[in-house]
Amino acid sequence: MTTRATRSPRRRTVVALAVVLVVLVAFVVRLVDIQIVNASQHVADAFSKGMQKTSELEGARGSIVDTNGKPLATSMLRYNVAIDPMLAAKGMSLRDENGAVVKNDAGEAETVTWPEIAARIADVTGQDVDDVRAIVDDAYAKDPKNRYQVVKRLVSTAEFRKLADLQIPFLSFEPVASRSYPDGAVGGNIIGFVGSDGQPLEGVEKLQDSCLEPTSGSIKYQLGANGVTIPGTAVEKPAVDGGTLKLTIDSDLQWYMQQLIAEETQRYQANWGGILVMEVATGKIRALAETDTVDPNDPGASDSADRGSRLLRFSFEPGSTFKPVTAATAIEQAGVTPETTVTVPDRMVFDNGAVVNDSENHATQNLTLNGGLVTSSNVAMSQFGAMVDPQTRYDYLKKFGAGQQDGLGWSGEPERILNPAATWDNQTKYATTFGQAFTVTAVQVANAYQTFANGGVRMPASLVESCTKPDGHVVTPKLAKPERVIKEETAKEVSLMLENVFAQGTLADDVALPGYRMGGKTGTAQISDGHGGYKKNLYFTSLVGFAPAEDPKYVVLTVFDEPKKQRMSSANRSVFKKAMAQVLTHYRVMPSGSETPLLPVTG
C-alpha cells in the first residue's frame, strides 16, 4: 500500500522529468528549426555579419585541339610552395611514418632543425639547399614576425605529394592552374600563349578566350566565435571549366611544314618564310607554318617579333600570282579566250604615257592569253587588262580579296591597300593588271586559288572548327557565306591555263610530281623602301598552286621574304614541290591518271 509520504516524492519526480522532457523537446525543435528548416536563412545571416571564410575554386582553362582532336594546349594543376618563416626558424618535432611525434629515452620530443628541413625540401624541389635556407633566414632576419614566404612556384603534382609526405606543418601549398603545350612549338604561331598570371596574350588563346576561359566558383564556411570553421556549414558555388577549342589545323602536317620551311628559309637565306595549306572544298587552313616561331611553353625564349604570326600580319603586293585574276576579268568582261592574242614587245609605252616592261628582254611576239600567263608577261597582261574599264577591274580585284579583310579576325591585321579606280594614275591603270599597286595577305592569295580550283566559288578561309562548351553544346564560328566570284566555265578556263603554266613554263621540270596534274603561278613582288620607291634587288617571292588539277583538293602557298641566295621566285620551287608532295601523300590523294591538255602559247 502506497502512503501519502511515498506518493509525494514520486509525483515530484514525474513532474520534474516531464519539465525536463518538455525543455528537451523545445531544444530539439529549435535545433531542427535552426539546422534544417531555416538553415539557409541563418547561414545567410551569419555570412552577412562577416562570420565566414571564403575560398575561391578555380576552373580549368579549356583545351585547344587540332582537327583530329589531338591536344595542342591543356591545363594542369601546379602548386606554389609557401612557408612560415617564424615557425620554420624554430624547427619542428620529428614524426614517424604514422605521423606520431618521436620521443627520446627521456620522454622528450625529438626536434628537426631548420637546416635539416631545408635539405629535405631542396631534395624534392631540386633547389640548392643554401638557397632554400636563405629564403627563410633572410625573411626572418628582415621581420621575425613574417608568416609567409614563397619557397618555389609552380611545382608539379608529384613534387607537391612528396613535400606533403614530409609532414612539415609550416609548409602550405597554393594550387595554381598552369598551361601546357604538349607539342611545343608546333602551331605556336597560331595557338599563342598565356602569361604567368594565366591571362591570354597571343594567338587563338587570346582571340578565342570567350571559349577557353573558365568561370571561378567559391566555397564559404561559417566561423565560430574563436574563428574555427563550423563543420557542415559549407555553401559551394562550383567552378565551370572552359570549353574545348577545335582548330582546322592538322598538327602532323603542321609539324612537317614547320621543319620544311625552317630548312628552306635557311637554305635560301631569307628573312623569314611560310607555308599555307588550304582545303579547296571548305577553305579550311590545314597548315600555317612559318619561321621563326614560338614555343608557347617558353615564349620568353623567342624574340618578340617571332611570338605571333607573320603570315597573318603581313601584307604585300602579290605580283604575278594575281595575273590569273586579270585573265578571268578579261574572259568575262571582254569576251577573250585562252587563245586570244596580242602583240607583245619586251617594253611597251601606252597611249597615256605609262611604261610597262617584261622581266627579261625578248623579241616581239604574238602571245595568247594562255601565253601571257605561261611566260608571265607584264606587257601581255597589261594589254588584256586594258580591254576592261578600270572600275570593273577594281570590282573583280575586290571580289578576289584585294584590299579586304581575310575573314579570320586576327589581331594586328595589316593594312590592305586597293585605292578606288577613280584615283588610279596612268601607271596604276596598268600596274594593277600584273599584281602591283595594291596589297593582299597570304591567306587571300591562297583563297583566290581556292576559288579558281573550286569552280569559281570562294569558301571563307577559317582556322577554327568549333567550341564545345562544358555542357556539351557545340558552337561553330560565324563565317561568311560561300560566294560565287566568277562563272564556273571561267574558273575551268583559268585553271587549265594555270596547269599550262606548270606544264609549259620555266618551272615545269622543277616542280613536277610524277602522276599528278598541278596548276599554279609564281610571284615576285617588289618591296617598298618606305620612301615611295622599291628596294633594289630584294623581293617578296611566292609560289601558289593546287592539285590534282582535274579535281583539286588542296592549295599550297609558299613565301619568302627577301631571299638572298636566289632572289626571284625560283627560290620557292623546291619548298613548294616538297610541301605539295607531303600534302598529297598525307591525305592519300590518288594520282591524276591523265595528262594536262596543252594550250597554244603563241598565235
Side-chain angles (χ1 to χ4, degrees):
M1 177 174 172
T2 304
T3 65
R4 176 183 289 182
T6 58
R7 288 198 302 268
S8 182
R10 184 179 295 174
R11 200 177 281 134
R12 285 195 297 270
T13 300
V14 171
V15 171
L17 288 173
V19 171
V20 171
L21 183 61
V22 170
V23 173
L24 183 60
V25 170
F27 272 111
V28 170
V29 171
R30 182 58 177 159
L31 187 62
V32 170
D33 175 71
I34 293 174
Q35 296 289 341
I36 300 176
V37 178
N38 293 304
S40 60
Q41 178 180 340
H42 296 306
V43 170
D45 290 342
F47 286 165
S48 67
K49 293 174 182 173
M51 300 170 62
Q52 68 177 27
K53 176 183 178 181
T54 303
S55 298
E56 185 176 356
L57 301 177
E58 290 192 13
R61 186 168 179 79
S63 298
I64 301 175
V65 300
D66 80 345
T67 188
N68 299 310
K70 182 179 179 181
L72 299 174
T74 59
S75 287
M76 60 194 307
L77 202 60
R78 293 184 180 272
Y79 298 84
N80 289 339
V81 183
I83 199 166
D84 183 330
M86 187 178 77
L87 294 180
K90 299 175 182 178
M92 71 176 189
S93 298
L94 181 64
R95 296 177 181 272
D96 61 22
E97 59 183 13
N98 296 317
V101 175
V102 177
K103 297 182 179 181
N104 57 23
D105 294 338
E108 300 172 335
E110 292 190 17
T111 59
V112 184
T113 64
W114 164 239
E116 293 175 299
I117 298 169
R120 296 181 184 183
I121 294 173
D123 186 54
V124 175
T125 63
Q127 296 168 278
D128 186 280
V129 63
D130 291 334
D131 292 338
V132 176
R133 288 181 60 180
I135 290 172
V136 166
D137 295 343
D138 293 348
Y140 188 75
K142 186 176 182 180
D143 180 7
K145 295 183 179 180
N146 184 1
R147 306 301 301 271
Y148 179 88
Q149 196 70 33
V150 174
V151 176
K152 189 175 182 181
R153 297 186 184 276
L154 302 178
V155 303
S156 67
T157 300
E159 290 174 316
F160 155 67
R161 288 176 175 171
K162 290 180 180 179
L163 289 169
D165 289 342
L166 295 177
Q167 300 183 44
I168 301 173
F170 38 78
L171 273 188
S172 60
F173 308 96
E174 303 167 351
V176 179
S178 180
R179 205 68 166 147
S180 174
Y181 302 89
D183 283 354
V186 177
N189 56 326
I190 306 164
I191 299 168
F193 50 88
V194 299
S196 57
D197 58 356
Q199 292 301 307
L201 300 177
E202 252 296 354
V204 294
E205 284 277 26
K206 183 176 182 180
L207 295 173
Q208 298 295 324
D209 188 46
S210 60
C211 170
L212 299 166
E213 185 181 23
T215 302
S216 296
S218 63
I219 184 166
K220 298 180 180 179
Y221 303 90
Q222 279 183 260
L223 298 178
N226 57 355
V228 176
T229 299
I230 300 175
T233 61
V235 176
E236 181 177 349
K237 178 184 177 183
V240 179
D241 294 340
T244 298
L245 183 70
K246 187 176 184 179
L247 303 182
T248 63
I249 295 297
D250 183 325
S251 60
D252 290 339
L253 186 66
Q254 177 78 18
W255 176 86
Y256 178 89
M257 295 304 172
Q258 285 187 208
Q259 306 308 308
L260 176 60
I261 194 60
E263 293 172 2
E264 295 288 316
T265 300
Q266 183 177 17
R267 176 184 176 185
Y268 289 103
Q269 301 171 18
N271 292 344
W272 62 274
I275 302 173
L276 190 155
V277 180
M278 180 180 285
E279 194 171 73
V280 169
T282 64
K284 294 177 180 179
I285 297 173
R286 296 306 186 190
L288 191 94
E290 55 193 273
T291 188
D292 292 321
T293 188
V294 63
D295 181 349
N297 291 303
D298 187 15
S302 300
D303 292 338
S304 58
D306 298 331
R307 296 174 193 165
S309 174
R310 290 184 178 88
L311 277 174
L312 299 179
R313 289 178 173 158
F314 184 79
S315 62
F316 54 94
E317 293 184 351
S320 296
T321 58
F322 253 58
K323 285 176 179 175
V325 175
T326 298
T329 305
I331 289 172
E332 292 199 345
Q333 297 298 322
V336 304
T337 71
E339 297 185 16
T340 301
T341 61
V342 291
T343 301
V344 182
D346 58 7
R347 181 177 186 274
M348 189 169 190
V349 179
F350 288 88
D351 292 343
N352 65 0
V355 179
V356 176
N357 297 285
D358 279 341
S359 59
E360 296 180 358
N361 295 330
H362 61 79
T364 299
Q365 53 190 330
N366 288 329
L367 288 179
T368 61
L369 179 59
N370 176 65
L373 291 179
V374 168
T375 62
S376 200
S377 169
N378 294 340
V379 174
M381 299 314 296
S382 293
Q383 293 183 71
F384 284 116
M387 297 177 184
V388 182
D389 66 275
Q391 182 59 51
T392 301
R393 289 197 288 112
Y394 169 89
D395 294 339
Y396 270 81
L397 288 172
K398 188 175 179 181
K399 286 197 295 181
F400 273 95
Q404 309 302 302
Q405 299 295 307
D406 57 28
L408 294 180
W410 203 259
S411 61
E413 287 192 357
E415 181 184 14
R416 299 167 179 84
I417 299 171
L418 178 62
N419 294 320
T423 67
W424 291 358
D425 60 23
N426 291 344
Q427 195 67 36
T428 301
K429 288 179 181 179
Y430 294 97
T432 49
T433 66
F434 48 87
Q436 292 186 2
F438 63 89
T439 59
V440 294
T441 64
V443 172
Q444 289 171 323
V445 173
N447 227 165
Y449 281 72
Q450 175 274 326
T451 302
F452 291 129
N454 197 42
V457 176
R458 181 174 63 191
M459 303 300 294
S462 62
L463 269 172
V464 174
E465 293 262 16
S466 63
C467 172
T468 302
K469 298 292 186 179
D471 61 3
H473 179 59
V474 179
V475 180
T476 55
K478 293 182 179 179
L479 301 175
K481 293 181 179 180
E483 178 185 358
R484 175 159 292 284
V485 177
I486 54 177
K487 299 174 183 177
E488 183 175 2
E489 185 58 35
T490 304
K492 288 181 179 179
E493 290 182 315
V494 174
S495 294
L496 183 55
M497 287 189 286
L498 290 172
E499 270 198 78
N500 275 260
V501 171
F502 270 29
Q504 301 189 68
T506 57
L507 75 168
D509 294 336
D510 294 335
V511 300
L513 292 175
Y516 289 95
R517 291 168 55 181
M518 296 189 296
K521 190 77 181 72
T522 59
T524 305
Q526 292 179 293
I527 300 174
S528 172
D529 61 7
H531 304 288
Y534 292 104
K535 293 182 178 181
K536 186 176 181 180
N537 295 325
L538 291 173
Y539 303 95
F540 188 84
T541 67
S542 59
L543 202 167
V544 57
F546 50 82
E550 76 284 358
D551 184 18
K553 302 297 184 186
Y554 296 95
V555 170
V556 171
L557 168 69
T558 67
V559 300
F560 284 129
D561 180 46
E562 299 184 13
K564 313 298 189 306
K565 189 173 181 181
Q566 284 184 245
R567 297 174 183 267
M568 309 298 282
S569 58
S570 55
N572 295 69
R573 297 178 184 185
S574 171
V575 65
F576 176 87
K577 180 176 181 177
K578 294 174 183 176
M580 181 61 84
Q582 180 63 23
V583 169
L584 297 174
T585 301
H586 182 75
Y587 290 112
R588 300 179 181 178
V589 178
M590 296 297 292
S592 298
S594 61
E595 299 292 332
T596 297
L598 299 181
L599 299 174
V601 172
T602 59

